[in-house]
Amino acid sequence: MTKERAFLDEQVPRIQLLERKMREAYWLAATTGEKKHEEQYARLLQEWMAWFADKGHHGRLKELLEGTDGTDPLVRRQVELLYNESQAYQMKPEEVAERAQLETEIESDFVNFRADYRGKKLSENEIKEILRHERNTYKRKDAWKASKQIGAVVADKVRRLARLRNRAAQRLGYRDFYAMSLALNEIDEAFLFSLLEDLKQQTDSPFSELKKEMDKKVAEPYDNVRPEGLRPWHYVDPFFQEAPCVYEVEWDSHFAGRQLEELAKQTFAGMGLEVESILDRSDLYEREGKSQHAFCIDIDREGDTRILCNLRPDTYWMGTLLHELGHAVYDQEHDPVLPYLLRRPAHISTTEAIAMLMGRLVKEPEWLKQVAGVPEEKLVEMEEALVKQSRLDMMVFVRWCLVMIYFERDLYRDPDQDLDSRWWEWVERFQFIPRPETRRAPDWAAKIHLGTAPVYYQNYLLGELMASQILHRLRQTFPDSPHPLVNNPAAGTYLKEHMFRPGNRRPWVVLIEEATGEKLDPRYFLEQFVVEDKEEKSTEKKG
């Protein structure tokens, strides 16, 4: 037995046990909001961090990594992943304890927070209902402000966390925690921001035109509000990360009174993917004390995959359910023969790609017809609006991602700067939404990711690019299918073989190239959602 394998055989079972207990505690904390489960999770998180922070483990991993050139590639990959994780937690014992405590506190703050709206305590779903239907501008403004109240609760904790994370990263020679996180997650920072600048330039003009058209429609129901007078509270989503439905598509009516779980089962069964057991283990409906967000969690990498949602019979939650189940099937369908450390997605962005691919189905005509049962004549009426709305949705999301990614890099460059103003500078630059007059509040901190899922948002954007590239490959592979993911079991087989079963045996850039036949290329995303059809333009010119 090699020294590398001996180390893995000795240490991985301990890591595996810790991670299972930690995820079980996290699940209980998220589904109940009870303090005892939050405290248990915090203790386990600290113990888990302590293993990776241990100088002896870190030194041994570095030594093993330097001598693994001739060893089994799967063994080397495991050592490499453990070393990268260990690098991220090279902190003093007291720093480990503080980081675990702060992250748990922030998570708890979000789980238990209910916004104070005109004397009433409201959930996120209830706030969104107001922003979806209320036509009184003052009430909307109050609801939007209420959605940001959590920011003031956690802002100081997020700054403390950023300073703490930076100190550890800088001791290792990194510029800051942001730079370290990208590097250890196998993302080249120069490549990423070159890609972002390109996406910004490619979407600046199309987004500007779409937003002007959208703002005219958004302003219509309000007396004395012109499009240029719109403010953040006039949009449905408090962060404007999702576009309002402005193209007269009655999305929600197709899901009213429906069991979303049944539609989800039918969707995945059509791809030859089983989700019923996942749903049986999951927690799907909102209640007091439960986390208001949605997530997927793989408890043990041995089949216990679950999702948390707060379902309501509408388009948003239908898409979210499909999204989270996309994560879940990725986790569930890994190759069970792989070692524990490799039984996970190649990267956060690759599992996001599958989740995005599934979530998009809710606005695909073929899915609406075959799964949701929308009559074909209705779809013909909706076709043009569907295309426009999907394009608007994606453009809005891309511009929102730019806000988060650029702001978070700034957060770690200087956690003590005027972040309140910096946030709105990026919102104005990327989302074209003016800062509300006299607004001085930590609106940025109302986004949970900054505290509990740091340096994450680029994975959503990379995931969207990958999703379009994967879809392009599926269309090439199944040219006779109206949509390759709708009632096509061969598509599920393709995803299992090319995306799910490889697990994390190779870096994500290699996986994407092997799965799609080429390196990550944003042109498929741009062709799908940004660039207008060249043939159509040519026809217009001839006419």
Side-chain angles (χ1 to χ4, degrees), residues 12-42:
V12 170
R14 184 183 175 194
I15 296 170
Q16 185 174 359
L17 179 62
L18 260 178
E19 289 185 342
R20 179 176 60 76
K21 288 183 175 180
M22 186 168 65
R23 292 171 189 143
E24 286 172 343
Y26 181 85
W27 177 259
L28 288 171
T31 53
T32 69
E34 293 180 11
K35 200 71 178 173
K36 64 180 181 181
H37 298 307
E38 292 169 2
E39 291 171 349
Q40 174 72 352
Y41 171 69

PDB file of all heavy atoms in Angstrom, residues 12-42:
ATOM      1  N   VAL A  12      -9.977   9.544   5.649  1.00  0.00           N
ATOM      2  CA  VAL A  12     -11.247   9.786   4.956  1.00  0.00           C
ATOM      3  C   VAL A  12     -12.460   9.290   5.744  1.00  0.00           C
ATOM      4  O   VAL A  12     -13.484   9.986   5.792  1.00  0.00           O
ATOM      5  CB  VAL A  12     -11.229   9.204   3.531  1.00  0.00           C
ATOM      6  CG1 VAL A  12     -12.622   9.239   2.892  1.00  0.00           C
ATOM      7  CG2 VAL A  12     -10.248   9.977   2.653  1.00  0.00           C
ATOM      8  N   PRO A  13     -12.408   8.108   6.395  1.00  0.00           N
ATOM      9  CA  PRO A  13     -13.583   7.688   7.182  1.00  0.00           C
ATOM     10  C   PRO A  13     -13.975   8.711   8.245  1.00  0.00           C
ATOM     11  O   PRO A  13     -15.168   8.910   8.504  1.00  0.00           O
ATOM     12  CB  PRO A  13     -13.125   6.373   7.812  1.00  0.00           C
ATOM     13  CG  PRO A  13     -12.126   5.834   6.847  1.00  0.00           C
ATOM     14  CD  PRO A  13     -11.386   7.037   6.344  1.00  0.00           C
ATOM     15  N   ARG A  14     -12.992   9.362   8.842  1.00  0.00           N
ATOM     16  CA  ARG A  14     -13.309  10.379   9.861  1.00  0.00           C
ATOM     17  C   ARG A  14     -13.989  11.587   9.213  1.00  0.00           C
ATOM     18  O   ARG A  14     -14.966  12.126   9.734  1.00  0.00           O
ATOM     19  CB  ARG A  14     -12.028  10.823  10.576  1.00  0.00           C
ATOM     20  CG  ARG A  14     -12.304  11.795  11.701  1.00  0.00           C
ATOM     21  CD  ARG A  14     -11.034  12.283  12.356  1.00  0.00           C
ATOM     22  NE  ARG A  14     -11.345  13.313  13.349  1.00  0.00           N
ATOM     23  CZ  ARG A  14     -10.436  14.104  13.894  1.00  0.00           C
ATOM     24  NH1 ARG A  14      -9.164  13.979  13.586  1.00  0.00           N
ATOM     25  NH2 ARG A  14     -10.787  15.018  14.780  1.00  0.00           N
ATOM     26  N   ILE A  15     -13.447  12.018   8.080  1.00  0.00           N
ATOM     27  CA  ILE A  15     -14.051  13.141   7.359  1.00  0.00           C
ATOM     28  C   ILE A  15     -15.478  12.792   6.935  1.00  0.00           C
ATOM     29  O   ILE A  15     -16.407  13.593   7.081  1.00  0.00           O
ATOM     30  CB  ILE A  15     -13.201  13.503   6.124  1.00  0.00           C
ATOM     31  CG1 ILE A  15     -11.815  13.983   6.561  1.00  0.00           C
ATOM     32  CG2 ILE A  15     -13.896  14.562   5.269  1.00  0.00           C
ATOM     33  CD1 ILE A  15     -10.828  14.132   5.416  1.00  0.00           C
ATOM     34  N   GLN A  16     -15.650  11.588   6.424  1.00  0.00           N
ATOM     35  CA  GLN A  16     -16.958  11.134   5.956  1.00  0.00           C
ATOM     36  C   GLN A  16     -17.985  11.155   7.086  1.00  0.00           C
ATOM     37  O   GLN A  16     -19.114  11.640   6.911  1.00  0.00           O
ATOM     38  CB  GLN A  16     -16.822   9.718   5.389  1.00  0.00           C
ATOM     39  CG  GLN A  16     -18.096   9.179   4.751  1.00  0.00           C
ATOM     40  CD  GLN A  16     -17.855   7.837   4.071  1.00  0.00           C
ATOM     41  OE1 GLN A  16     -16.737   7.318   4.064  1.00  0.00           O
ATOM     42  NE2 GLN A  16     -18.900   7.279   3.483  1.00  0.00           N
ATOM     43  N   LEU A  17     -17.603  10.648   8.254  1.00  0.00           N
ATOM     44  CA  LEU A  17     -18.513  10.631   9.404  1.00  0.00           C
ATOM     45  C   LEU A  17     -18.856  12.047   9.846  1.00  0.00           C
ATOM     46  O   LEU A  17     -20.027  12.361  10.116  1.00  0.00           O
ATOM     47  CB  LEU A  17     -17.881   9.851  10.550  1.00  0.00           C
ATOM     48  CG  LEU A  17     -18.708   9.758  11.843  1.00  0.00           C
ATOM     49  CD1 LEU A  17     -20.019   9.023  11.581  1.00  0.00           C
ATOM     50  CD2 LEU A  17     -17.904   9.055  12.944  1.00  0.00           C
ATOM     51  N   LEU A  18     -17.848  12.905   9.902  1.00  0.00           N
ATOM     52  CA  LEU A  18     -18.063  14.296  10.312  1.00  0.00           C
ATOM     53  C   LEU A  18     -19.016  14.998   9.350  1.00  0.00           C
ATOM     54  O   LEU A  18     -19.929  15.711   9.779  1.00  0.00           O
ATOM     55  CB  LEU A  18     -16.730  15.044  10.326  1.00  0.00           C
ATOM     56  CG  LEU A  18     -16.032  15.238  11.659  1.00  0.00           C
ATOM     57  CD1 LEU A  18     -14.692  15.952  11.442  1.00  0.00           C
ATOM     58  CD2 LEU A  18     -16.884  16.042  12.624  1.00  0.00           C
ATOM     59  N   GLU A  19     -18.798  14.789   8.054  1.00  0.00           N
ATOM     60  CA  GLU A  19     -19.624  15.478   7.061  1.00  0.00           C
ATOM     61  C   GLU A  19     -21.067  14.993   7.119  1.00  0.00           C
ATOM     62  O   GLU A  19     -22.001  15.800   6.977  1.00  0.00           O
ATOM     63  CB  GLU A  19     -19.027  15.286   5.667  1.00  0.00           C
ATOM     64  CG  GLU A  19     -17.730  16.063   5.493  1.00  0.00           C
ATOM     65  CD  GLU A  19     -17.141  16.004   4.104  1.00  0.00           C
ATOM     66  OE1 GLU A  19     -17.510  15.099   3.322  1.00  0.00           O
ATOM     67  OE2 GLU A  19     -16.296  16.877   3.789  1.00  0.00           O
ATOM     68  N   ARG A  20     -21.262  13.707   7.312  1.00  0.00           N
ATOM     69  CA  ARG A  20     -22.640  13.206   7.406  1.00  0.00           C
ATOM     70  C   ARG A  20     -23.346  13.805   8.617  1.00  0.00           C
ATOM     71  O   ARG A  20     -24.483  14.289   8.513  1.00  0.00           O
ATOM     72  CB  ARG A  20     -22.647  11.679   7.501  1.00  0.00           C
ATOM     73  CG  ARG A  20     -24.065  11.087   7.618  1.00  0.00           C
ATOM     74  CD  ARG A  20     -24.065   9.583   7.606  1.00  0.00           C
ATOM     75  NE  ARG A  20     -23.296   8.994   8.687  1.00  0.00           N
ATOM     76  CZ  ARG A  20     -23.700   8.931   9.962  1.00  0.00           C
ATOM     77  NH1 ARG A  20     -24.867   9.440  10.325  1.00  0.00           N
ATOM     78  NH2 ARG A  20     -22.944   8.365  10.875  1.00  0.00           N
ATOM     79  N   LYS A  21     -22.691  13.797   9.780  1.00  0.00           N
ATOM     80  CA  LYS A  21     -23.303  14.365  10.988  1.00  0.00           C
ATOM     81  C   LYS A  21     -23.573  15.862  10.812  1.00  0.00           C
ATOM     82  O   LYS A  21     -24.607  16.374  11.246  1.00  0.00           O
ATOM     83  CB  LYS A  21     -22.391  14.138  12.187  1.00  0.00           C
ATOM     84  CG  LYS A  21     -22.335  12.692  12.660  1.00  0.00           C
ATOM     85  CD  LYS A  21     -21.450  12.574  13.896  1.00  0.00           C
ATOM     86  CE  LYS A  21     -21.464  11.161  14.460  1.00  0.00           C
ATOM     87  NZ  LYS A  21     -20.596  11.041  15.659  1.00  0.00           N
ATOM     88  N   MET A  22     -22.622  16.555  10.185  1.00  0.00           N
ATOM     89  CA  MET A  22     -22.756  17.991   9.986  1.00  0.00           C
ATOM     90  C   MET A  22     -23.948  18.307   9.084  1.00  0.00           C
ATOM     91  O   MET A  22     -24.743  19.206   9.369  1.00  0.00           O
ATOM     92  CB  MET A  22     -21.461  18.531   9.378  1.00  0.00           C
ATOM     93  CG  MET A  22     -21.394  20.035   9.248  1.00  0.00           C
ATOM     94  SD  MET A  22     -19.714  20.584   8.847  1.00  0.00           S
ATOM     95  CE  MET A  22     -19.508  19.859   7.213  1.00  0.00           C
ATOM     96  N   ARG A  23     -24.086  17.540   8.005  1.00  0.00           N
ATOM     97  CA  ARG A  23     -25.205  17.785   7.083  1.00  0.00           C
ATOM     98  C   ARG A  23     -26.541  17.419   7.717  1.00  0.00           C
ATOM     99  O   ARG A  23     -27.557  18.091   7.480  1.00  0.00           O
ATOM    100  CB  ARG A  23     -24.987  17.001   5.791  1.00  0.00           C
ATOM    101  CG  ARG A  23     -23.812  17.519   4.963  1.00  0.00           C
ATOM    102  CD  ARG A  23     -23.489  16.608   3.812  1.00  0.00           C
ATOM    103  NE  ARG A  23     -22.240  16.984   3.157  1.00  0.00           N
ATOM    104  CZ  ARG A  23     -21.356  16.137   2.664  1.00  0.00           C
ATOM    105  NH1 ARG A  23     -21.578  14.831   2.765  1.00  0.00           N
ATOM    106  NH2 ARG A  23     -20.261  16.559   2.081  1.00  0.00           N
ATOM    107  N   GLU A  24     -26.566  16.383   8.525  1.00  0.00           N
ATOM    108  CA  GLU A  24     -27.806  16.030   9.232  1.00  0.00           C
ATOM    109  C   GLU A  24     -28.217  17.150  10.180  1.00  0.00           C
ATOM    110  O   GLU A  24     -29.398  17.510  10.272  1.00  0.00           O
ATOM    111  CB  GLU A  24     -27.616  14.721   9.997  1.00  0.00           C
ATOM    112  CG  GLU A  24     -27.583  13.484   9.106  1.00  0.00           C
ATOM    113  CD  GLU A  24     -27.206  12.221   9.859  1.00  0.00           C
ATOM    114  OE1 GLU A  24     -26.652  12.332  10.986  1.00  0.00           O
ATOM    115  OE2 GLU A  24     -27.448  11.116   9.328  1.00  0.00           O
ATOM    116  N   ALA A  25     -27.232  17.723  10.886  1.00  0.00           N
ATOM    117  CA  ALA A  25     -27.530  18.818  11.816  1.00  0.00           C
ATOM    118  C   ALA A  25     -27.992  20.058  11.051  1.00  0.00           C
ATOM    119  O   ALA A  25     -28.916  20.762  11.486  1.00  0.00           O
ATOM    120  CB  ALA A  25     -26.296  19.135  12.659  1.00  0.00           C
ATOM    121  N   TYR A  26     -27.349  20.328   9.905  1.00  0.00           N
ATOM    122  CA  TYR A  26     -27.733  21.474   9.091  1.00  0.00           C
ATOM    123  C   TYR A  26     -29.175  21.313   8.608  1.00  0.00           C
ATOM    124  O   TYR A  26     -29.958  22.268   8.633  1.00  0.00           O
ATOM    125  CB  TYR A  26     -26.795  21.601   7.896  1.00  0.00           C
ATOM    126  CG  TYR A  26     -27.097  22.778   7.003  1.00  0.00           C
ATOM    127  CD1 TYR A  26     -26.583  24.033   7.292  1.00  0.00           C
ATOM    128  CD2 TYR A  26     -27.908  22.635   5.874  1.00  0.00           C
ATOM    129  CE1 TYR A  26     -26.871  25.126   6.478  1.00  0.00           C
ATOM    130  CE2 TYR A  26     -28.201  23.717   5.060  1.00  0.00           C
ATOM    131  CZ  TYR A  26     -27.675  24.956   5.363  1.00  0.00           C
ATOM    132  OH  TYR A  26     -27.980  26.033   4.564  1.00  0.00           O
ATOM    133  N   TRP A  27     -29.513  20.108   8.172  1.00  0.00           N
ATOM    134  CA  TRP A  27     -30.868  19.840   7.698  1.00  0.00           C
ATOM    135  C   TRP A  27     -31.886  20.088   8.808  1.00  0.00           C
ATOM    136  O   TRP A  27     -32.917  20.745   8.581  1.00  0.00           O
ATOM    137  CB  TRP A  27     -30.959  18.399   7.193  1.00  0.00           C
ATOM    138  CG  TRP A  27     -32.330  18.004   6.738  1.00  0.00           C
ATOM    139  CD1 TRP A  27     -33.246  17.271   7.428  1.00  0.00           C
ATOM    140  CD2 TRP A  27     -32.948  18.323   5.480  1.00  0.00           C
ATOM    141  NE1 TRP A  27     -34.391  17.106   6.693  1.00  0.00           N
ATOM    142  CE2 TRP A  27     -34.240  17.745   5.491  1.00  0.00           C
ATOM    143  CE3 TRP A  27     -32.532  19.028   4.360  1.00  0.00           C
ATOM    144  CZ2 TRP A  27     -35.110  17.870   4.410  1.00  0.00           C
ATOM    145  CZ3 TRP A  27     -33.408  19.158   3.279  1.00  0.00           C
ATOM    146  CH2 TRP A  27     -34.673  18.578   3.317  1.00  0.00           C
ATOM    147  N   LEU A  28     -31.606  19.603   9.994  1.00  0.00           N
ATOM    148  CA  LEU A  28     -32.534  19.795  11.111  1.00  0.00           C
ATOM    149  C   LEU A  28     -32.646  21.270  11.480  1.00  0.00           C
ATOM    150  O   LEU A  28     -33.739  21.762  11.784  1.00  0.00           O
ATOM    151  CB  LEU A  28     -32.078  18.974  12.319  1.00  0.00           C
ATOM    152  CG  LEU A  28     -32.270  17.456  12.185  1.00  0.00           C
ATOM    153  CD1 LEU A  28     -31.576  16.731  13.334  1.00  0.00           C
ATOM    154  CD2 LEU A  28     -33.751  17.102  12.155  1.00  0.00           C
ATOM    155  N   ALA A  29     -31.520  21.978  11.447  1.00  0.00           N
ATOM    156  CA  ALA A  29     -31.558  23.405  11.754  1.00  0.00           C
ATOM    157  C   ALA A  29     -32.383  24.164  10.717  1.00  0.00           C
ATOM    158  O   ALA A  29     -33.184  25.043  11.052  1.00  0.00           O
ATOM    159  CB  ALA A  29     -30.137  23.965  11.816  1.00  0.00           C
ATOM    160  N   ALA A  30     -32.214  23.808   9.433  1.00  0.00           N
ATOM    161  CA  ALA A  30     -32.924  24.505   8.348  1.00  0.00           C
ATOM    162  C   ALA A  30     -34.410  24.190   8.336  1.00  0.00           C
ATOM    163  O   ALA A  30     -35.227  25.029   7.953  1.00  0.00           O
ATOM    164  CB  ALA A  30     -32.302  24.153   7.000  1.00  0.00           C
ATOM    165  N   THR A  31     -34.786  22.983   8.759  1.00  0.00           N
ATOM    166  CA  THR A  31     -36.195  22.583   8.672  1.00  0.00           C
ATOM    167  C   THR A  31     -36.978  22.886   9.945  1.00  0.00           C
ATOM    168  O   THR A  31     -38.206  22.841   9.931  1.00  0.00           O
ATOM    169  CB  THR A  31     -36.319  21.083   8.346  1.00  0.00           C
ATOM    170  OG1 THR A  31     -35.552  20.326   9.286  1.00  0.00           O
ATOM    171  CG2 THR A  31     -35.827  20.801   6.940  1.00  0.00           C
ATOM    172  N   THR A  32     -36.277  23.172  11.045  1.00  0.00           N
ATOM    173  CA  THR A  32     -36.971  23.461  12.305  1.00  0.00           C
ATOM    174  C   THR A  32     -36.669  24.846  12.862  1.00  0.00           C
ATOM    175  O   THR A  32     -37.501  25.418  13.562  1.00  0.00           O
ATOM    176  CB  THR A  32     -36.595  22.431  13.389  1.00  0.00           C
ATOM    177  OG1 THR A  32     -35.219  22.612  13.764  1.00  0.00           O
ATOM    178  CG2 THR A  32     -36.809  21.008  12.900  1.00  0.00           C
ATOM    179  N   GLY A  33     -35.464  25.357  12.569  1.00  0.00           N
ATOM    180  CA  GLY A  33     -35.064  26.633  13.155  1.00  0.00           C
ATOM    181  C   GLY A  33     -34.749  26.533  14.631  1.00  0.00           C
ATOM    182  O   GLY A  33     -34.552  27.556  15.297  1.00  0.00           O
ATOM    183  N   GLU A  34     -34.673  25.309  15.162  1.00  0.00           N
ATOM    184  CA  GLU A  34     -34.444  25.138  16.599  1.00  0.00           C
ATOM    185  C   GLU A  34     -32.979  25.395  16.960  1.00  0.00           C
ATOM    186  O   GLU A  34     -32.066  24.946  16.281  1.00  0.00           O
ATOM    187  CB  GLU A  34     -34.854  23.733  17.041  1.00  0.00           C
ATOM    188  CG  GLU A  34     -36.350  23.486  16.952  1.00  0.00           C
ATOM    189  CD  GLU A  34     -36.737  22.087  17.401  1.00  0.00           C
ATOM    190  OE1 GLU A  34     -35.874  21.381  17.968  1.00  0.00           O
ATOM    191  OE2 GLU A  34     -37.898  21.694  17.168  1.00  0.00           O
ATOM    192  N   LYS A  35     -32.805  26.076  18.094  1.00  0.00           N
ATOM    193  CA  LYS A  35     -31.475  26.474  18.540  1.00  0.00           C
ATOM    194  C   LYS A  35     -30.567  25.281  18.781  1.00  0.00           C
ATOM    195  O   LYS A  35     -29.371  25.313  18.465  1.00  0.00           O
ATOM    196  CB  LYS A  35     -31.599  27.300  19.827  1.00  0.00           C
ATOM    197  CG  LYS A  35     -30.387  28.147  20.132  1.00  0.00           C
ATOM    198  CD  LYS A  35     -30.272  29.302  19.152  1.00  0.00           C
ATOM    199  CE  LYS A  35     -29.077  30.184  19.479  1.00  0.00           C
ATOM    200  NZ  LYS A  35     -28.863  31.211  18.440  1.00  0.00           N
ATOM    201  N   LYS A  36     -31.091  24.194  19.325  1.00  0.00           N
ATOM    202  CA  LYS A  36     -30.248  23.042  19.644  1.00  0.00           C
ATOM    203  C   LYS A  36     -29.594  22.461  18.394  1.00  0.00           C
ATOM    204  O   LYS A  36     -28.437  22.018  18.427  1.00  0.00           O
ATOM    205  CB  LYS A  36     -31.040  21.971  20.381  1.00  0.00           C
ATOM    206  CG  LYS A  36     -32.181  21.342  19.583  1.00  0.00           C
ATOM    207  CD  LYS A  36     -32.905  20.281  20.400  1.00  0.00           C
ATOM    208  CE  LYS A  36     -34.042  19.636  19.592  1.00  0.00           C
ATOM    209  NZ  LYS A  36     -34.764  18.613  20.384  1.00  0.00           N
ATOM    210  N   HIS A  37     -30.322  22.470  17.273  1.00  0.00           N
ATOM    211  CA  HIS A  37     -29.767  21.943  16.034  1.00  0.00           C
ATOM    212  C   HIS A  37     -28.747  22.915  15.436  1.00  0.00           C
ATOM    213  O   HIS A  37     -27.725  22.491  14.867  1.00  0.00           O
ATOM    214  CB  HIS A  37     -30.867  21.651  15.031  1.00  0.00           C
ATOM    215  CG  HIS A  37     -31.843  20.621  15.498  1.00  0.00           C
ATOM    216  ND1 HIS A  37     -31.446  19.383  15.946  1.00  0.00           N
ATOM    217  CD2 HIS A  37     -33.207  20.641  15.591  1.00  0.00           C
ATOM    218  CE1 HIS A  37     -32.514  18.684  16.303  1.00  0.00           C
ATOM    219  NE2 HIS A  37     -33.581  19.421  16.099  1.00  0.00           N
ATOM    220  N   GLU A  38     -29.014  24.208  15.579  1.00  0.00           N
ATOM    221  CA  GLU A  38     -28.049  25.203  15.115  1.00  0.00           C
ATOM    222  C   GLU A  38     -26.748  25.090  15.900  1.00  0.00           C
ATOM    223  O   GLU A  38     -25.651  25.170  15.329  1.00  0.00           O
ATOM    224  CB  GLU A  38     -28.634  26.608  15.272  1.00  0.00           C
ATOM    225  CG  GLU A  38     -29.807  26.895  14.343  1.00  0.00           C
ATOM    226  CD  GLU A  38     -30.534  28.174  14.692  1.00  0.00           C
ATOM    227  OE1 GLU A  38     -30.089  28.862  15.655  1.00  0.00           O
ATOM    228  OE2 GLU A  38     -31.545  28.495  14.043  1.00  0.00           O
ATOM    229  N   GLU A  39     -26.858  24.895  17.201  1.00  0.00           N
ATOM    230  CA  GLU A  39     -25.662  24.758  18.039  1.00  0.00           C
ATOM    231  C   GLU A  39     -24.895  23.485  17.702  1.00  0.00           C
ATOM    232  O   GLU A  39     -23.659  23.479  17.671  1.00  0.00           O
ATOM    233  CB  GLU A  39     -26.060  24.780  19.515  1.00  0.00           C
ATOM    234  CG  GLU A  39     -26.567  26.150  19.972  1.00  0.00           C
ATOM    235  CD  GLU A  39     -27.163  26.119  21.368  1.00  0.00           C
ATOM    236  OE1 GLU A  39     -27.368  24.993  21.900  1.00  0.00           O
ATOM    237  OE2 GLU A  39     -27.448  27.203  21.912  1.00  0.00           O
ATOM    238  N   GLN A  40     -25.641  22.393  17.455  1.00  0.00           N
ATOM    239  CA  GLN A  40     -24.996  21.142  17.070  1.00  0.00           C
ATOM    240  C   GLN A  40     -24.270  21.299  15.740  1.00  0.00           C
ATOM    241  O   GLN A  40     -23.128  20.825  15.573  1.00  0.00           O
ATOM    242  CB  GLN A  40     -26.039  20.020  16.980  1.00  0.00           C
ATOM    243  CG  GLN A  40     -25.512  18.689  16.438  1.00  0.00           C
ATOM    244  CD  GLN A  40     -24.618  17.949  17.416  1.00  0.00           C
ATOM    245  OE1 GLN A  40     -24.260  18.480  18.458  1.00  0.00           O
ATOM    246  NE2 GLN A  40     -24.245  16.729  17.074  1.00  0.00           N
ATOM    247  N   TYR A  41     -24.906  21.976  14.803  1.00  0.00           N
ATOM    248  CA  TYR A  41     -24.272  22.209  13.506  1.00  0.00           C
ATOM    249  C   TYR A  41     -23.008  23.050  13.678  1.00  0.00           C
ATOM    250  O   TYR A  41     -21.961  22.755  13.067  1.00  0.00           O
ATOM    251  CB  TYR A  41     -25.242  22.892  12.548  1.00  0.00           C
ATOM    252  CG  TYR A  41     -24.582  23.342  11.261  1.00  0.00           C
ATOM    253  CD1 TYR A  41     -24.139  22.404  10.336  1.00  0.00           C
ATOM    254  CD2 TYR A  41     -24.379  24.686  10.981  1.00  0.00           C
ATOM    255  CE1 TYR A  41     -23.513  22.795   9.161  1.00  0.00           C
ATOM    256  CE2 TYR A  41     -23.752  25.095   9.818  1.00  0.00           C
ATOM    257  CZ  TYR A  41     -23.317  24.147   8.913  1.00  0.00           C
ATOM    258  OH  TYR A  41     -22.689  24.541   7.766  1.00  0.00           O
ATOM    259  N   ALA A  42     -23.081  24.098  14.489  1.00  0.00           N
ATOM    260  CA  ALA A  42     -21.916  24.963  14.714  1.00  0.00           C
ATOM    261  C   ALA A  42     -20.750  24.171  15.303  1.00  0.00           C
ATOM    262  O   ALA A  42     -19.593  24.359  14.903  1.00  0.00           O
ATOM    263  CB  ALA A  42     -22.292  26.119  15.634  1.00  0.00           C
TER     264      ALA A  42
END
